[in-house]
Amino acid sequence: MSLFLRIIRRNRWAQEFWDLHDYDWLDKNDIPIEPLFDILAVDKNGNLQKEISVWYIHDDKSNLERIIAALAASRSNIDVFDYLLIEEGIITSFGFKLKKIKGETADKHANENWHYNINHLSGFKLVNLIKEILTYRKKIIDFNKFEDDNIDRKTAKEIKKLINKARCSNWINPSEIKVSKSQLD
Amino acid sequence: MSLFEAINEYSPNTRGGIPTFEKEIDKIDEKLFPYNKTSKDLGEDWEFNKQTTVTKKPAPFIITAQDSYLLVECKSAEFIPFQEEYQISSIVDFKKNIREQINEIFKNAKIENFEDGMDSEFSKKLVSLIKNYENNSIEILSDMIMNENVTVDIASEALRWIGRIKHEETHDARFDLLIKSLTHSSPFIRDGAIIGLDLMEDPKAVPYLIESIKNEKLTLIRKDMLQVLENLENL
């Protein structure tokens, strides 16, 4: 089953962190508001985007590092990289549409082949999508198998290595790397 | 405008956290200096080491602030020339001003949506503040973060930048703040501290991380600590 990567802030999806927000009133069928911040985005002018940008990941995750490197190289600074992997089946089962569209990273191949937008968004579908992701995540946490988690973090150190790897492998155009060279040494 | 604000306005340069400037001005704001007033009348903001009376008239004044002294000179022939040296007796006021600036930066950050790896208005202002006020700013940030006087998710973001900044003069103070934050009651703060330490790449953090891992209750945070520990051990 193919996967799709979405950049998130991991702590918005972690039960341990929600517990601090006084969610004892939350209905068991409801979800905390935090994950919505990662699914809904605003553009530079503050307008709500009605599509969700995601990246296609092969089922064996063979292009995962390459995509992370491409996205991280497009940032201003080396930093942690938090991401969510969503199964394609989950996306389509809720009635969303996936549309291939050119990405905007330093990796031309990734831009042309692996970037998609999720369309046909609605409030009801989005909440159900998040619920589904969180339910899956809870199962994983219950078994304490973080290595199989669909939400993960690469440390700054790992990101630096990945960008350098992408540079050496000619995955990314060095002139399009936005992270300063001094941060990559 | 307070004396401190005037100093800042006239000179953005600081030395060791103490404002240093030399500026000729045409007019002295009476709030800045004690025209026909004594230090007693000035209230708690500024206290002078001697009683002073200055004629209240515009004149070219030269003000020089260095270390803990403020030198005010009037060289005009029109008025009685004078030269007075004032002691900036209350560094607390200086820090109060830094604290107010930090509060303002944190307040404005509430409407920002931070993105990992991206500069923000918050990060730009925070970095500038730290470079200007050096260890004084870290001391105040530390007090505010450890005493939970700031929003935790913004404090967490601040800690990332505290680790990221390349600024040798404040390295030790920033390192100490990150280490202290590893044991903060809020996991948001601990998370920011771990990221900050990873970005700082100072292997001196290793024993502190080992100790924190033993006490960390949250699996997710412990996992991050182990990862950063491994990174630092392999430097």
Side-chain angles (χ1 to χ4, degrees), chain A residues 6-179:
Chain A
R6 169 79 179 165
I7 299 176
I8 56 160
R9 279 210 148 188
R10 188 198 60 185
N11 297 346
R12 290 175 174 157
W13 298 77
Q15 177 84 43
E16 301 97 309
F17 288 83
W18 301 333
D19 289 346
L20 304 158
H21 290 294
D22 299 326
Y23 272 129
D24 50 352
W25 52 267
L26 196 71
D27 187 275
K28 66 176 182 181
N29 293 318
D30 204 348
I31 58 163
I33 200 165
E34 278 76 8
L36 278 165
F37 287 105
D38 282 333
I39 294 295
L40 295 173
V42 289
D43 64 19
K44 287 171 188 172
N45 300 317
N47 299 316
L48 188 66
Q49 292 183 340
K50 292 183 179 172
E51 295 171 322
I52 304 171
S53 167
V54 290
W55 293 82
Y56 173 82
I57 305 292
H58 298 310
D59 48 9
D60 61 358
K61 298 185 185 174
S62 56
N63 63 339
L64 177 62
E65 288 194 342
R66 180 168 180 168
I67 285 175
I68 292 174
L71 289 163
S74 305
R75 296 166 158 183
S76 322
N77 305 290
I78 293 289
D79 205 342
V80 291
F81 188 98
D82 293 348
Y83 62 95
L84 160 72
L85 295 177
I86 319 169
E87 286 184 13
E88 183 177 3
I90 293 178
I91 297 171
T92 51
S93 69
F94 285 106
F96 295 107
K97 297 289 174 200
L98 283 157
K99 186 181 173 190
K100 196 172 182 180
I101 189 162
K102 195 178 175 189
E104 293 176 5
T105 70
D107 186 328
K108 197 179 167 191
H109 181 79
N111 291 343
E112 286 172 1
N113 293 285
W114 298 325
H115 183 252
Y116 286 77
N117 275 347
I118 300 178
N119 293 318
H120 292 195
L121 306 186
S122 76
F124 185 74
K125 285 195 286 186
L126 280 179
V127 169
N128 278 324
L129 175 68
I130 293 170
K131 265 172 78 173
E132 182 65 25
I133 294 165
L134 293 175
T135 306
Y136 174 73
R137 179 170 170 72
K138 188 165 187 316
K139 283 179 199 161
I140 297 294
I141 289 171
D142 287 347
F143 289 107
N144 209 12
K145 289 178 184 171
F146 278 100
E147 66 272 21
D148 293 330
D149 201 355
N150 58 341
I151 291 172
D152 207 356
R153 164 176 288 181
K154 296 281 181 206
T155 65
K157 182 89 177 169
E158 289 173 302
I159 289 302
K160 194 192 282 190
K161 276 186 196 166
L162 280 180
I163 297 176
N164 281 323
K165 183 180 172 184
R167 200 163 54 167
C168 294
S169 310
N170 291 324
W171 292 344
I172 52 181
N173 180 352
S175 67
E176 289 184 39
I177 298 175
K178 291 186 181 155
V179 176

